[in-house]
Amino acid sequence: MRGIVDIHCHILPGVDDGAVTERMAVEMIRMEKEQGVNRIILTPHYRVGVFETEQEVITRRFKRLCEINKKTKTGMELYLGCEFHRASAMTDKLQQGIRPTMDGSRYVLVEFSHRDEYVRIRKTVYELIIKGWIPIIAHGERYPSLMENLDRIEEVLRLGAKLQITAGAVYGQHGFRYKRICKKLMSEDLVHFIATDAHDLKNRAPDLGRCAEYIERKKGPVYTRRILVDNPGMILAERIKRYE
Ligand SMILES: [Fe+2]
C-alpha cells in the first residue's frame, strides 16, 4: 500500500531514546519509504524527569533533518509532533506552546504509564478535551486498566479521544497477547491509527508495510486505507502552522 502516514516514531536523532545519529535517522526514513510510507510525524518523547530535551533543540534538529532529508532525496515529507507523557500541567504546557501538538493541529499524542489506573487515563483525556485538544492515546494496547474492559475504551472514545495501536503488536511481533488485544480492538472498530513507534533499525524498526499487508489480508483494503492513510491524513489536513 502506498501513501501511508506514520504518526508515531522516534526518528529525530539525539533527542530521546530513538535514533542516535543523523545517519541512522536517514536510514530509518529510507526504511519507512520502502514500507510504503510517504509522510511521517516525528514524535520525540517528552516526559518530565526522563526526556526533557529543550524544545528549541528539538526544533533545530528537526529543521536540520528536513534539510538532510531534502538533500538525500528520500521523497519523504517530515512533520513535527511530540509524544507527551501525561502530566498534571499538560494543558498549560500545550496552551503556552512549550511542547508542540501533532504538526500544530489540535491532536495531541498522549502516553500513559503502564500502571496508570483507568480513572487517571479518563481524567487526562477529559481535561484535554474540555480545553479543545484531541487526545490520541499512544500505543493503547499496552495499558491493562484500559484494555481490561471494552466499555472503558468506548467511554474515552465517546469523550472524544482517538486510539493508536502499534504496528508490531498488530501482526504479532510483540507476542500473542497483544496480537489478540489488537484483533479485538479492530474487530470492534475502536482503532483510529496504527503507527510504528519505531526507535531503531532493528528491534523497533519501521514496519508499517508489513503491518499493512497483514491488515489487508484480515480486514480488506478499505479498512486498511482508512486506518493507515485517511485517518492520519486528517491530522495533517488540520494543520494550523507548519514547523518548517
Ligand atoms: Fe513512542
Side-chain angles (χ1 to χ4, degrees), residues 13-233:
V15 296
D16 59 9
D17 58 344
V20 181
T21 61
E22 283 170 347
R23 181 182 285 200
M24 184 173 168
V26 171
E27 279 309 305
M28 287 175 80
I29 292 170
R30 288 204 178 111
M31 211 179 231
E32 290 267 26
K33 192 80 200 195
E34 280 165 21
Q35 295 282 318
V37 174
N38 66 358
R39 291 183 288 176
I40 303 174
I41 306 180
L42 307 165
T43 52
H45 284 289
Y46 174 60
R47 180 173 183 177
V48 175
V50 185
F51 299 109
E52 292 186 302
T53 304
E54 286 165 30
Q55 189 56 36
E56 195 194 327
V57 174
I58 291 178
T59 307
R60 203 178 333 125
R61 296 245 163 104
F62 173 65
K63 283 180 181 162
R64 199 176 139 78
L65 186 64
C66 286
E67 281 167 24
I68 297 168
N69 178 59
K70 215 172 182 180
K71 265 187 216 150
T72 47
K73 296 188 169 65
T74 61
M76 188 67 75
E77 286 177 33
L78 301 178
Y79 304 89
L80 187 59
C82 174
E83 181 177 12
F84 212 129
H85 190 273
R86 60 100 184 105
S88 48
M90 201 172 163
T91 52
D92 295 341
K93 283 179 183 167
L94 287 164
Q95 218 118 30
Q96 292 160 16
I98 291 170
R99 292 286 150 169
T101 59
M102 300 291 269
D103 187 42
S105 69
R106 288 176 300 158
Y107 292 87
V108 182
L109 185 65
V110 193
E111 178 187 34
F112 295 92
S113 290
H114 291 196
R115 288 188 192 159
D116 275 354
E117 287 180 17
Y118 175 62
V119 284
R120 178 146 205 183
I121 295 177
R122 189 187 181 285
K123 186 168 177 270
T124 305
V125 162
Y126 179 73
E127 283 172 358
L128 283 163
I129 287 163
I130 54 167
K131 296 277 182 175
W133 309 107
I134 306 171
I136 301 172
I137 299 173
H139 36 64
E141 78 279 1
R142 288 199 211 157
Y143 312 117
S145 70
L146 183 62
M147 291 299 128
E148 200 172 274
N149 185 334
L150 282 186
D151 291 346
R152 291 181 172 179
I153 304 164
E154 280 168 6
E155 187 179 30
V156 288
L157 299 193
R158 253 200 320 274
L159 284 174
K162 308 290 175 194
L163 189 70
Q164 177 255 308
I165 58 175
T166 314
V170 170
Y171 66 79
Q173 201 199 14
H174 303 167
F176 180 68
R177 191 170 139 252
Y178 286 126
K179 188 178 176 186
R180 194 177 51 194
I181 291 173
C182 292
K183 186 181 172 191
K184 182 78 181 158
L185 291 171
M186 289 193 293
S187 70
E188 299 288 333
D189 206 10
L190 298 171
V191 175
H192 299 91
F193 307 103
I194 298 176
T196 63
D197 198 9
H199 280 67
D200 56 38
L201 290 157
K202 209 173 168 201
N203 299 322
R204 300 173 81 182
D207 56 355
L208 270 174
R210 182 172 173 190
C211 182
E213 274 173 32
Y214 176 84
I215 311 169
E216 226 171 333
R217 231 175 24 245
K218 301 284 180 186
K219 307 281 294 175
V222 174
Y223 179 87
T224 312
R225 179 155 286 279
R226 172 155 64 90
I227 303 293
L228 296 180
V229 180
D230 300 341
N231 285 355

